[in-house]
Amino acid sequence: MIIRVLEKNAPDALVVPLAQQENLGAQLAALARLAGLDPAALQNDFKADPKEVFVVYATGTATRKFYLVGLGKKDNFQTLYTTLRAFCFRYRNKLPRQLGIDLRHFPAAQLPRLADAAVSGMLLGLYQIGLYRKDPEPNTVPLFGGAKSELQLLVKTSRHKEITAGARRGEVFAGVIRDVFDLMNAPGNKKNPGQLSDWIERAGKDSGLKVRILSLKELKAKKLDALLAVGQGSPHPPAMALLEYRPKAGKSKVPLVGLVGKGVTFDTGGVSLKPSSNMHFMKSDMGGAAAVFGALLVAAQLELPVQLVAAVPIAENMIDGLAIKPGDVIGSHAGKTIEVIDTDAEGRLILADGVSYLHRQEKPDVLIDIATLTGSIIRTLGYAAAGLFTQNDQLAAALTQAGENCGERLWRLPLWEEYAADLKSDVADIRNFSGKPMAEAITAAKFIEQFTDGHPAWAHLDIAGMAFGDTELGQSKTATGYGVRLLVEFVEQWIAK
Ligand code: BES
Ligand code: MN
Ligand code: ZN
């Protein structure tokens, strides 16, 4: 797809995103006059409600078709992104080869950001989920998105360079998030730990990342015992992916950000087996890994002036004769012994090894782990925000702000010492579950905290409700891409300060 930023042009069809603001009536009247329609009728029929689409056929103008698309009350990054994604998905088989997005009515200062939103939204609306379908959907001859198709951003300003950069950013995010979608939507039998490691290694190296996969032998040598224990019930051995992105030489020294993402390729719960009704969704239990991997890919492809190191512990949590059992005591990279009360609380075990390994090995200035960690965070925050846990107020503020800016919300929960009491074990240094059905997202965070060696800028993000959910892209729950933008935009802002 060719993406162009233009001031004057008349594409075959023009998408006009409109918000419910004071000048909506005047905007519609102008459009009505251009298309030869009755202004009052158009004002009556299109209210710019969220995701409302109204198609106008015009005669006497070079552009014959206008798609008026409602943004609701807000015309910010997130609404433009989600609205255009939903629009493009819904109309993807009807859109012409050459499509324009009218951005001329937005403030010039916002255009680089809105160009990013528009491009990433449109491109991701073309996402096709049927990875393993033999028959393509009937009647799909997509013109837009096919060969020689073109997306034109129409703007009224001379700041083309910045807007083009914004559009390019949107294109990169969309490409990376498309890969993250594929990874998340892939079933457990197509992304076992070996396959996921291979995927990360290949795609990472293609984008210029430094990638190293720790094999079973190396995991043992480095005493990543908690990760090994979680993986021991699976015929597919666990692994740890180590990724690194450094900016090209000549850039001034910037803080090193360390990222750890939970990469459970399938979570049966292990011997503490999950109920079967929704177990298939547990193929998405590598959402933290996907977000971290995606963030590094974006940084590399955009050559961002940031420094990132990442550790992605990868394992399949299976039920088996060799699997860990409730009550087993295991070791960890940090040296602490852990009593495994519940084998379904496996995420915190592999993250414990991930954060202590990355911290000790790389000494990052900021340490963030991200994981589909608990059902409890869904009962707490629903599908509106991920949980944020940190003792560092400055870090909390920066992460929250980044989430606000890109529409990937975070909400902070406490890490008071009272919550650690329930993790005391009689036989080991710590246990992985209190056994009490309360504040489970918080005690999970408290557990991981014990493995950070008191890092002054550690944060934990519980994205269980956000990584996989209801979207227009599929019938059932599908990948959302949550976390990729959040991490990238957080790091950019953190470094700018
Ligand atoms: N992967 C799950 C958490 C999860 C739940 C992710 C729903 C996405 C959607 C995690 O490993 C888990 O099983 N957590 C348990 C912890 C409990 C045993 C303390 C949970 O939340 O029930
Ligand atoms: Mn689990
Ligand atoms: Zn899990």
Side-chain angles (χ1 to χ4, degrees), residues 55-105:
V55 190
V56 172
Y57 289 91
T59 52
T61 58
T63 294
R64 307 309 280 276
K65 194 158 55 168
F66 295 86
Y67 291 99
L68 311 191
V69 179
L71 297 174
K73 296 211 161 51
K74 289 191 186 144
D75 60 356
N76 57 17
F77 177 91
Q78 188 198 7
T79 33
L80 190 63
Y81 165 74
T82 50
T83 304
L84 287 183
R85 194 178 102 173
F87 163 77
C88 182
F89 181 79
R90 193 161 130 208
Y91 284 86
R92 67 197 184 285
N93 295 327
K94 295 174 182 161
L95 299 176
R97 186 167 276 127
Q98 187 199 62
L99 185 68
I101 313 269
D102 195 352
L103 299 175
R104 288 172 291 201
H105 48 294

